[in-house]
Amino acid sequence: MSDAESKVTLRPRSKLERILDGLEDSYGVPARPNLDLVTQLSLLLLVAGGADGRGALAALKPLCTKGAVEAALLAELSREMVATVCAPDRVDETVTTLRSLGEAARADPPLEARCRGDAAEARRALRTLGIPEQRADLMLLQSGLHPLTAPSGNAVTVAVRLGYPGTSYASFARVLDEELPEQYAIAVAWRAHHLLDHHGKALCTAKAPQCPHCPVRDACAWHGEGPDPAGRLSWRAPAGDG
């Protein structure tokens, strides 16, 4: 059996899968969150408004039933609740966005149902709530709705050096998504998101890549020689992407 074949199905493995296998021993992959889309978005918006993770969880607890945020309660969210956890200058904006999320979550069809169909339509639905494209992809992956690699800025730096084409977030995200296998696509996308990000933070860093120590150097199109392909990137992730 060749290294390019899956040990389970004998199908040809993509370049991405082989790279992930090479990175697996160096970095850990956390468990995928067992949270629905609306709950994840609520937490994200509170954190974006200045709340810390623990404060955001505590603030949402009264709005939850069986661990999930109730859309009706979110749509009628009080300003006082948000003011207890968010930065004073972000309270009004956060309240407005969370209420909009609550209205979208209970619309006909509800937000999560809209996001279960076409991935591009799901992405557009989240963008109307002010969610950046990379974060929208990550939310859809974390909730198990779509297999999307959602590469971070660190991962995009790794991808361009490995030889993947593109200059923007969308170009790299879609070409990586195309290499996901039909079987176990969400699990592989989750591994790809984290392993490429960890590698970009630890060894394949933007300013000082440690190419001699790279576990996937054989798969790299650059090898640390000549002009750095990362110099052509037009996209830089916002602070806190992951």
Side-chain angles (χ1 to χ4, degrees), residues 5 29-30 98 114 131 133 135 151 162 192-194 232 240:
E5 294 176 330
V29 177
L98 283 168
R114 290 173 59 196
I131 308 300
E133 185 174 6
R135 183 61 68 171
L162 287 169
H193 173 79
H194 287 282
R232 73 169 188 260

Side-chain angles (χ1 to χ4, degrees), residues 9-161:
T9 64
L10 298 185
R11 62 169 173 78
R13 292 192 305 156
S14 66
K15 174 181 177 178
L16 176 61
E17 290 175 276
R18 297 195 297 274
I19 288 168
L20 298 181
D21 287 347
L23 296 175
E24 194 88 61
D25 291 339
S26 300
Y27 313 107
V29 177
R32 187 167 59 83
N34 185 25
L35 292 174
D36 69 291
L37 181 62
V38 173
T39 302
Q40 288 191 62
L41 286 167
S42 300
L43 287 169
L44 169 67
L45 294 171
L46 281 172
V47 170
D52 61 31
R54 184 172 297 180
L57 284 168
L60 288 180
K61 192 172 181 180
L63 308 181
C64 291
T65 300
K66 296 181 180 179
V69 170
E70 287 283 346
L73 295 175
L74 188 62
E76 299 171 1
L77 183 71
S78 72
R79 187 183 188 280
E80 290 70 24
M81 185 278 277
V82 176
T84 62
V85 294
C86 288
D89 61 339
R90 302 296 302 277
V91 170
D92 290 335
E93 177 186 355
T94 303
V95 170
T96 298
T97 310
L98 283 168
R99 287 176 178 170
S100 296
L101 171 60
E103 292 292 351
R106 65 178 184 174
D108 185 20
L111 178 65
E112 186 140 350
R114 290 173 59 196
C115 289
R116 288 186 180 278
D118 178 70
E121 171 56 31
R123 198 177 293 114
R124 283 192 292 270
L126 297 184
R127 293 297 298 275
T128 64
L129 295 169
I131 308 300
E133 185 174 6
Q134 188 271 345
R135 183 61 68 171
D137 283 354
L138 183 55
M139 293 291 101
L140 294 169
L141 171 62
Q142 287 184 160
S143 55
L145 296 179
H146 291 283
L148 301 168
T149 52
S152 66
N154 296 311
V156 166
T157 297
V158 174
V160 70
R161 289 171 176 163

